[in-house]
Short mmCIF file of all heavy atoms in Angstrom, two decimals:
data_model
loop_
_atom_site.label_atom_id
_atom_site.label_comp_id
_atom_site.label_asym_id
_atom_site.label_seq_id
_atom_site.Cartn_x
_atom_site.Cartn_y
_atom_site.Cartn_z
N LYS A 991 34.16 -54.70 10.40
CA LYS A 991 34.63 -53.58 9.58
C LYS A 991 34.98 -54.03 8.18
O LYS A 991 34.71 -53.33 7.22
CB LYS A 991 35.85 -52.91 10.26
CG LYS A 991 35.51 -52.11 11.49
CD LYS A 991 36.78 -51.50 12.09
CE LYS A 991 36.45 -50.90 13.43
NZ LYS A 991 37.65 -50.62 14.19
N GLU A 992 35.63 -55.21 8.07
CA GLU A 992 36.08 -55.69 6.77
C GLU A 992 34.97 -56.30 5.93
O GLU A 992 34.90 -56.06 4.73
CB GLU A 992 37.19 -56.73 6.98
CG GLU A 992 38.46 -56.16 7.56
CD GLU A 992 39.46 -57.20 8.00
OE1 GLU A 992 39.22 -58.42 7.80
OE2 GLU A 992 40.50 -56.80 8.56
N ALA A 993 34.08 -57.05 6.56
CA ALA A 993 33.07 -57.80 5.79
C ALA A 993 31.67 -57.18 5.83
O ALA A 993 30.90 -57.39 4.92
CB ALA A 993 32.97 -59.24 6.33
N GLY A 994 31.37 -56.45 6.87
CA GLY A 994 30.02 -55.92 7.03
C GLY A 994 29.35 -56.57 8.22
O GLY A 994 29.87 -57.52 8.79
N GLU A 995 28.17 -56.08 8.57
CA GLU A 995 27.49 -56.61 9.75
C GLU A 995 26.00 -56.79 9.47
O GLU A 995 25.44 -56.21 8.55
CB GLU A 995 27.74 -55.75 10.95
CG GLU A 995 27.32 -54.30 10.78
CD GLU A 995 27.81 -53.43 11.92
OE1 GLU A 995 27.19 -53.47 13.01
OE2 GLU A 995 28.78 -52.68 11.73
N LEU A 996 25.41 -57.60 10.29
CA LEU A 996 23.98 -57.82 10.18
C LEU A 996 23.23 -56.60 10.75
O LEU A 996 23.61 -56.06 11.79
CB LEU A 996 23.55 -59.06 10.98
CG LEU A 996 24.11 -60.38 10.46
CD1 LEU A 996 23.83 -61.51 11.44
CD2 LEU A 996 23.53 -60.71 9.10
N PRO A 997 22.15 -56.17 10.10
CA PRO A 997 21.42 -55.04 10.59
C PRO A 997 20.87 -55.27 12.00
O PRO A 997 20.44 -56.36 12.35
CB PRO A 997 20.23 -54.91 9.61
CG PRO A 997 20.67 -55.66 8.40
CD PRO A 997 21.61 -56.72 8.85
N GLU A 998 20.96 -54.25 12.83
CA GLU A 998 20.44 -54.26 14.18
C GLU A 998 21.07 -55.28 15.11
O GLU A 998 20.47 -55.72 16.09
CB GLU A 998 18.92 -54.44 14.17
CG GLU A 998 18.21 -53.34 13.38
CD GLU A 998 16.72 -53.47 13.41
OE1 GLU A 998 16.15 -53.81 14.46
OE2 GLU A 998 16.09 -53.20 12.34
N SER A 999 22.31 -55.67 14.81
CA SER A 999 22.99 -56.63 15.68
C SER A 999 23.91 -55.91 16.66
O SER A 999 24.32 -54.77 16.43
CB SER A 999 23.80 -57.62 14.85
OG SER A 999 24.83 -56.96 14.14
N VAL A 1000 24.15 -56.58 17.77
CA VAL A 1000 25.07 -56.11 18.81
C VAL A 1000 26.34 -56.91 18.64
O VAL A 1000 26.28 -58.16 18.55
CB VAL A 1000 24.50 -56.31 20.23
CG1 VAL A 1000 25.52 -55.98 21.29
CG2 VAL A 1000 23.21 -55.52 20.39
N ASN A 1001 27.49 -56.24 18.60
CA ASN A 1001 28.75 -56.97 18.45
C ASN A 1001 29.25 -57.35 19.85
O ASN A 1001 29.55 -56.51 20.68
CB ASN A 1001 29.80 -56.11 17.74
CG ASN A 1001 31.11 -56.83 17.52
OD1 ASN A 1001 32.17 -56.26 17.64
ND2 ASN A 1001 31.07 -58.11 17.20
N LEU A 1002 29.32 -58.62 20.08
CA LEU A 1002 29.77 -59.23 21.34
C LEU A 1002 30.69 -60.39 20.97
O LEU A 1002 30.20 -61.51 20.72
CB LEU A 1002 28.58 -59.69 22.18
CG LEU A 1002 28.81 -60.40 23.48
CD1 LEU A 1002 29.69 -59.57 24.43
CD2 LEU A 1002 27.49 -60.71 24.15
N PRO A 1003 32.02 -60.13 20.86
CA PRO A 1003 32.92 -61.16 20.40
C PRO A 1003 32.81 -62.45 21.24
O PRO A 1003 32.56 -62.40 22.45
CB PRO A 1003 34.31 -60.54 20.57
CG PRO A 1003 34.04 -59.07 20.47
CD PRO A 1003 32.69 -58.86 21.11
N LEU A 1004 32.99 -63.59 20.59
CA LEU A 1004 32.82 -64.88 21.24
C LEU A 1004 33.60 -64.98 22.53
O LEU A 1004 33.09 -65.46 23.55
CB LEU A 1004 33.22 -66.01 20.29
CG LEU A 1004 33.09 -67.45 20.85
CD1 LEU A 1004 31.68 -67.75 21.25
CD2 LEU A 1004 33.67 -68.46 19.87
N LYS A 1005 34.83 -64.48 22.54
CA LYS A 1005 35.66 -64.57 23.76
C LYS A 1005 35.05 -63.82 24.93
O LYS A 1005 35.39 -64.09 26.09
CB LYS A 1005 37.07 -64.10 23.47
CG LYS A 1005 37.19 -62.64 23.13
CD LYS A 1005 38.64 -62.24 22.86
CE LYS A 1005 38.82 -60.85 22.35
NZ LYS A 1005 37.97 -59.80 22.79
N ASP A 1006 34.13 -62.90 24.70
CA ASP A 1006 33.51 -62.09 25.74
C ASP A 1006 32.12 -62.60 26.19
O ASP A 1006 31.61 -62.13 27.18
CB ASP A 1006 33.31 -60.64 25.28
CG ASP A 1006 34.62 -59.93 24.99
OD1 ASP A 1006 35.70 -60.43 25.34
OD2 ASP A 1006 34.57 -58.84 24.39
N VAL A 1007 31.56 -63.54 25.45
CA VAL A 1007 30.17 -63.95 25.68
C VAL A 1007 29.91 -64.39 27.11
O VAL A 1007 28.99 -63.93 27.77
CB VAL A 1007 29.72 -65.03 24.66
CG1 VAL A 1007 28.38 -65.65 25.07
CG2 VAL A 1007 29.61 -64.43 23.29
N SER A 1008 30.71 -65.30 27.60
CA SER A 1008 30.48 -65.86 28.96
C SER A 1008 30.52 -64.77 30.01
O SER A 1008 29.60 -64.67 30.85
CB SER A 1008 31.50 -66.94 29.27
OG SER A 1008 31.25 -67.50 30.53
#
Side-chain angles (χ1 to χ4, degrees):
K991 287 179 189 164
E992 293 169 4
E995 56 190 284
L996 295 171
E998 300 183 40
S999 63
V1000 173
N1001 182 219
L1002 176 55
L1004 180 61
K1005 65 180 173 34
D1006 296 349
V1007 168
S1008 182

